[in-house]
Amino acid sequence: MSGGIRTRILAVHAVVLAVGLLLSGLVFFHGRGVMDATTLLVEKDLPALKSLSDLKTDVVELEPILLEYYISANRSRFLGRMELNRQRIEANLGIAREAFPGSAAVAGIESRYDEIKSLARQLDQTLSAPRIDQGRARSLIVIISRSCAQIIQDLEGLVRAVQKNVQGRAQASRDRVDGIVGLVAFFSGMLFLVVLIAGFVMMLMVPGA
């Protein structure tokens, strides 16, 4: 094999290697983007959605707890259920604070929940008094119900914000995957073309080909 042909073969190998390395680098870059989006989805967005959903459930549960106390006057059951409900709400509020740092909506929910706890204590005092003021008790339940409805409305707004983030990350991941597929197809075509041209040129250079 002449030196010229050997040089051209080595050149083709070098081009193929360079294209392969470039393709690997681009696939790695885009693949990291997909992994980052997936990590945020799994570690941030989905836990936030679950905590908001659980928080909404716990807030909805408040009114039945109060109404049951108003009807049954079972104070020990009321206090036990309220304590469990408080623990769940405060745990999920902590997750919401981490998911939405500095959020005015989360701060508003926490403020309203503090107000609900204060009103619930007033209701307890009213219903456990020797002489129960039924009108006062009903008024407190109505006020708490309105605050719960406002919290639920704020939570639904936060859920929509998280869902928008999820959709954005999902679309970004799809775009990057499409980019990877396009890059692989493009560079595969380039490699095929380089090898085809190189083979044709070498055939012309070999005597008797």
Side-chain angles (χ1 to χ4, degrees), residues 118-152:
S118 175
L119 292 168
R121 285 192 293 269
Q122 294 178 46
L123 178 66
D124 180 36
Q125 292 170 359
T126 300
L127 293 177
S128 60
R131 184 179 179 86
I132 297 175
D133 185 342
Q134 298 288 346
R136 170 69 172 163
R138 286 193 297 270
S139 176
L140 287 169
I141 291 174
V142 168
I143 295 171
I144 292 173
S145 179
R146 289 172 181 168
S147 295
C148 288
Q150 185 59 57
I151 288 178
I152 290 170

Short mmCIF file of all heavy atoms in Angstrom, two decimals, residues 118-152:
data_model
loop_
_atom_site.label_atom_id
_atom_site.label_comp_id
_atom_site.label_asym_id
_atom_site.label_seq_id
_atom_site.Cartn_x
_atom_site.Cartn_y
_atom_site.Cartn_z
N SER A 118 -56.77 30.47 65.69
CA SER A 118 -57.27 31.37 66.72
C SER A 118 -58.80 31.29 66.83
O SER A 118 -59.36 31.22 67.94
CB SER A 118 -56.85 32.80 66.41
OG SER A 118 -57.41 33.71 67.32
N LEU A 119 -59.47 31.26 65.68
CA LEU A 119 -60.93 31.17 65.69
C LEU A 119 -61.40 29.82 66.24
O LEU A 119 -62.43 29.74 66.93
CB LEU A 119 -61.47 31.37 64.27
CG LEU A 119 -61.30 32.78 63.69
CD1 LEU A 119 -61.60 32.78 62.19
CD2 LEU A 119 -62.21 33.76 64.41
N ALA A 120 -60.64 28.75 65.94
CA ALA A 120 -60.99 27.43 66.45
C ALA A 120 -60.87 27.40 67.97
O ALA A 120 -61.68 26.76 68.66
CB ALA A 120 -60.10 26.37 65.82
N ARG A 121 -59.86 28.08 68.51
CA ARG A 121 -59.73 28.15 69.98
C ARG A 121 -60.92 28.91 70.58
O ARG A 121 -61.45 28.53 71.63
CB ARG A 121 -58.41 28.83 70.35
CG ARG A 121 -57.18 27.94 70.17
CD ARG A 121 -55.96 28.52 70.82
NE ARG A 121 -55.52 29.75 70.16
CZ ARG A 121 -54.66 29.80 69.16
NH1 ARG A 121 -54.14 28.67 68.68
NH2 ARG A 121 -54.30 30.96 68.62
N GLN A 122 -61.33 29.98 69.88
CA GLN A 122 -62.50 30.73 70.36
C GLN A 122 -63.76 29.86 70.32
O GLN A 122 -64.60 29.92 71.23
CB GLN A 122 -62.70 31.99 69.51
CG GLN A 122 -61.59 33.02 69.64
CD GLN A 122 -61.83 34.22 68.75
OE1 GLN A 122 -62.93 34.76 68.69
NE2 GLN A 122 -60.78 34.64 68.03
N LEU A 123 -63.87 29.06 69.26
CA LEU A 123 -65.02 28.16 69.16
C LEU A 123 -65.00 27.14 70.30
O LEU A 123 -66.05 26.84 70.90
CB LEU A 123 -65.01 27.45 67.81
CG LEU A 123 -66.12 26.42 67.58
CD1 LEU A 123 -67.49 27.11 67.54
CD2 LEU A 123 -65.88 25.65 66.28
N ASP A 124 -63.82 26.62 70.61
CA ASP A 124 -63.69 25.66 71.70
C ASP A 124 -64.12 26.30 73.03
O ASP A 124 -64.85 25.69 73.82
CB ASP A 124 -62.25 25.16 71.77
CG ASP A 124 -62.05 24.15 72.89
OD1 ASP A 124 -62.96 23.35 73.13
OD2 ASP A 124 -60.97 24.17 73.51
N GLN A 125 -63.66 27.53 73.24
CA GLN A 125 -64.04 28.22 74.47
C GLN A 125 -65.55 28.45 74.52
O GLN A 125 -66.18 28.30 75.58
CB GLN A 125 -63.31 29.56 74.55
CG GLN A 125 -61.81 29.43 74.74
CD GLN A 125 -61.08 30.76 74.58
OE1 GLN A 125 -61.71 31.80 74.30
NE2 GLN A 125 -59.76 30.73 74.74
N THR A 126 -66.14 28.77 73.38
CA THR A 126 -67.58 29.03 73.33
C THR A 126 -68.38 27.77 73.60
O THR A 126 -69.35 27.77 74.38
CB THR A 126 -67.96 29.59 71.94
OG1 THR A 126 -67.25 30.81 71.73
CG2 THR A 126 -69.46 29.86 71.85
N LEU A 127 -67.99 26.65 72.96
CA LEU A 127 -68.75 25.41 73.09
C LEU A 127 -68.48 24.67 74.40
O LEU A 127 -69.26 23.78 74.78
CB LEU A 127 -68.44 24.49 71.90
CG LEU A 127 -68.94 24.98 70.53
CD1 LEU A 127 -68.51 24.02 69.44
CD2 LEU A 127 -70.46 25.14 70.53
N SER A 128 -67.39 25.00 75.07
CA SER A 128 -67.09 24.34 76.35
C SER A 128 -67.49 25.21 77.55
O SER A 128 -67.26 24.82 78.70
CB SER A 128 -65.60 24.00 76.44
OG SER A 128 -64.81 25.19 76.34
N ALA A 129 -68.07 26.35 77.27
CA ALA A 129 -68.52 27.23 78.34
C ALA A 129 -69.76 26.65 79.03
O ALA A 129 -70.51 25.88 78.42
CB ALA A 129 -68.83 28.62 77.78
N PRO A 130 -69.99 27.00 80.31
CA PRO A 130 -71.19 26.51 81.00
C PRO A 130 -72.48 26.89 80.28
O PRO A 130 -73.43 26.10 80.22
CB PRO A 130 -71.09 27.20 82.37
CG PRO A 130 -69.64 27.48 82.54
CD PRO A 130 -69.12 27.79 81.19
N ARG A 131 -72.48 28.10 79.74
CA ARG A 131 -73.66 28.54 78.97
C ARG A 131 -73.19 28.78 77.53
O ARG A 131 -72.45 29.72 77.25
CB ARG A 131 -74.23 29.83 79.57
CG ARG A 131 -75.50 30.30 78.90
CD ARG A 131 -76.01 31.57 79.57
NE ARG A 131 -77.22 32.06 78.93
CZ ARG A 131 -78.44 31.65 79.22
NH1 ARG A 131 -78.63 30.70 80.14
NH2 ARG A 131 -79.51 32.16 78.62
N ILE A 132 -73.63 27.92 76.60
CA ILE A 132 -73.15 27.97 75.22
C ILE A 132 -73.89 29.03 74.43
O ILE A 132 -75.13 29.06 74.44
CB ILE A 132 -73.32 26.59 74.53
CG1 ILE A 132 -72.46 25.53 75.25
CG2 ILE A 132 -72.94 26.67 73.06
CD1 ILE A 132 -72.64 24.13 74.72
N ASP A 133 -73.13 29.89 73.79
CA ASP A 133 -73.70 30.92 72.91
C ASP A 133 -73.76 30.33 71.50
O ASP A 133 -72.78 30.36 70.75
CB ASP A 133 -72.82 32.18 72.95
CG ASP A 133 -73.41 33.34 72.15
OD1 ASP A 133 -74.30 33.09 71.31
OD2 ASP A 133 -72.95 34.49 72.36
N GLN A 134 -74.91 29.77 71.13
CA GLN A 134 -75.06 29.10 69.84
C GLN A 134 -74.83 30.05 68.67
O GLN A 134 -74.22 29.67 67.67
CB GLN A 134 -76.46 28.47 69.75
CG GLN A 134 -76.76 27.40 70.79
CD GLN A 134 -75.99 26.12 70.52
OE1 GLN A 134 -75.44 25.92 69.44
NE2 GLN A 134 -75.94 25.24 71.51
N GLY A 135 -75.31 31.28 68.79
CA GLY A 135 -75.12 32.25 67.72
C GLY A 135 -73.65 32.56 67.49
O GLY A 135 -73.20 32.64 66.35
N ARG A 136 -72.92 32.75 68.57
CA ARG A 136 -71.49 33.01 68.47
C ARG A 136 -70.77 31.82 67.84
O ARG A 136 -69.89 31.98 66.98
CB ARG A 136 -70.94 33.27 69.88
CG ARG A 136 -69.43 33.32 70.02
CD ARG A 136 -68.82 34.51 69.35
NE ARG A 136 -67.40 34.61 69.65
CZ ARG A 136 -66.55 35.35 68.96
NH1 ARG A 136 -66.98 36.07 67.91
NH2 ARG A 136 -65.30 35.42 69.29
N ALA A 137 -71.14 30.62 68.24
CA ALA A 137 -70.51 29.41 67.69
C ALA A 137 -70.76 29.31 66.19
O ALA A 137 -69.83 29.04 65.41
CB ALA A 137 -71.04 28.18 68.40
N ARG A 138 -72.00 29.53 65.78
CA ARG A 138 -72.31 29.45 64.34
C ARG A 138 -71.55 30.53 63.57
O ARG A 138 -71.05 30.28 62.46
CB ARG A 138 -73.82 29.59 64.13
CG ARG A 138 -74.62 28.37 64.53
CD ARG A 138 -76.05 28.45 64.00
NE ARG A 138 -76.76 29.59 64.59
CZ ARG A 138 -77.47 29.53 65.71
NH1 ARG A 138 -77.56 28.39 66.38
NH2 ARG A 138 -78.12 30.60 66.17
N SER A 139 -71.46 31.71 64.13
CA SER A 139 -70.74 32.80 63.47
C SER A 139 -69.26 32.46 63.28
O SER A 139 -68.68 32.71 62.22
CB SER A 139 -70.88 34.09 64.29
OG SER A 139 -70.13 35.13 63.72
N LEU A 140 -68.66 31.87 64.30
CA LEU A 140 -67.24 31.48 64.20
C LEU A 140 -67.05 30.42 63.13
O LEU A 140 -66.08 30.47 62.35
CB LEU A 140 -66.75 30.95 65.55
CG LEU A 140 -66.54 32.01 66.64
CD1 LEU A 140 -66.32 31.34 68.00
CD2 LEU A 140 -65.36 32.91 66.29
N ILE A 141 -67.95 29.45 63.05
CA ILE A 141 -67.85 28.39 62.04
C ILE A 141 -67.96 28.99 60.63
O ILE A 141 -67.22 28.59 59.71
CB ILE A 141 -68.92 27.31 62.28
CG1 ILE A 141 -68.60 26.54 63.56
CG2 ILE A 141 -68.99 26.34 61.09
CD1 ILE A 141 -69.67 25.54 63.96
N VAL A 142 -68.85 29.96 60.46
CA VAL A 142 -69.01 30.60 59.14
C VAL A 142 -67.73 31.33 58.76
O VAL A 142 -67.26 31.25 57.61
CB VAL A 142 -70.21 31.57 59.16
CG1 VAL A 142 -70.20 32.44 57.91
CG2 VAL A 142 -71.52 30.80 59.25
N ILE A 143 -67.14 32.06 59.71
CA ILE A 143 -65.90 32.80 59.42
C ILE A 143 -64.77 31.84 59.06
O ILE A 143 -64.00 32.07 58.11
CB ILE A 143 -65.50 33.67 60.64
CG1 ILE A 143 -66.55 34.76 60.89
CG2 ILE A 143 -64.14 34.33 60.39
CD1 ILE A 143 -66.34 35.52 62.19
N ILE A 144 -64.66 30.76 59.82
CA ILE A 144 -63.61 29.77 59.53
C ILE A 144 -63.84 29.14 58.16
O ILE A 144 -62.88 28.93 57.39
CB ILE A 144 -63.59 28.68 60.63
CG1 ILE A 144 -63.12 29.27 61.95
CG2 ILE A 144 -62.68 27.52 60.21
CD1 ILE A 144 -63.23 28.31 63.13
N SER A 145 -65.08 28.85 57.83
CA SER A 145 -65.41 28.27 56.53
C SER A 145 -64.97 29.19 55.39
O SER A 145 -64.42 28.73 54.38
CB SER A 145 -66.90 27.99 56.45
OG SER A 145 -67.24 27.45 55.19
N ARG A 146 -65.18 30.48 55.55
CA ARG A 146 -64.76 31.44 54.52
C ARG A 146 -63.24 31.48 54.38
O ARG A 146 -62.71 31.54 53.26
CB ARG A 146 -65.30 32.83 54.86
CG ARG A 146 -66.81 32.97 54.69
CD ARG A 146 -67.29 34.30 55.21
NE ARG A 146 -68.74 34.44 55.09
CZ ARG A 146 -69.45 35.41 55.68
NH1 ARG A 146 -68.84 36.31 56.44
NH2 ARG A 146 -70.76 35.46 55.51
N SER A 147 -62.54 31.44 55.52
CA SER A 147 -61.07 31.43 55.46
C SER A 147 -60.56 30.17 54.80
O SER A 147 -59.59 30.21 54.01
CB SER A 147 -60.50 31.55 56.88
OG SER A 147 -60.82 32.80 57.46
N CYS A 148 -61.20 29.04 55.08
CA CYS A 148 -60.81 27.77 54.43
C CYS A 148 -61.01 27.86 52.92
O CYS A 148 -60.16 27.40 52.14
CB CYS A 148 -61.62 26.62 54.99
SG CYS A 148 -61.18 26.15 56.68
N ALA A 149 -62.14 28.46 52.50
CA ALA A 149 -62.41 28.59 51.07
C ALA A 149 -61.35 29.45 50.40
O ALA A 149 -60.92 29.17 49.27
CB ALA A 149 -63.80 29.19 50.86
N GLN A 150 -60.89 30.50 51.08
CA GLN A 150 -59.85 31.36 50.51
C GLN A 150 -58.53 30.62 50.40
O GLN A 150 -57.80 30.75 49.42
CB GLN A 150 -59.68 32.61 51.37
CG GLN A 150 -58.71 33.63 50.79
CD GLN A 150 -59.12 34.12 49.42
OE1 GLN A 150 -60.21 34.64 49.26
NE2 GLN A 150 -58.25 33.96 48.43
N ILE A 151 -58.21 29.83 51.42
CA ILE A 151 -56.98 29.03 51.36
C ILE A 151 -57.03 28.05 50.19
O ILE A 151 -56.05 27.88 49.46
CB ILE A 151 -56.77 28.27 52.69
CG1 ILE A 151 -56.36 29.25 53.79
CG2 ILE A 151 -55.70 27.18 52.53
CD1 ILE A 151 -56.19 28.59 55.16
N ILE A 152 -58.17 27.40 50.02
CA ILE A 152 -58.31 26.44 48.92
C ILE A 152 -58.13 27.14 47.57
O ILE A 152 -57.47 26.61 46.66
CB ILE A 152 -59.68 25.75 49.00
CG1 ILE A 152 -59.72 24.81 50.21
CG2 ILE A 152 -59.98 24.97 47.72
CD1 ILE A 152 -61.08 24.26 50.53
#
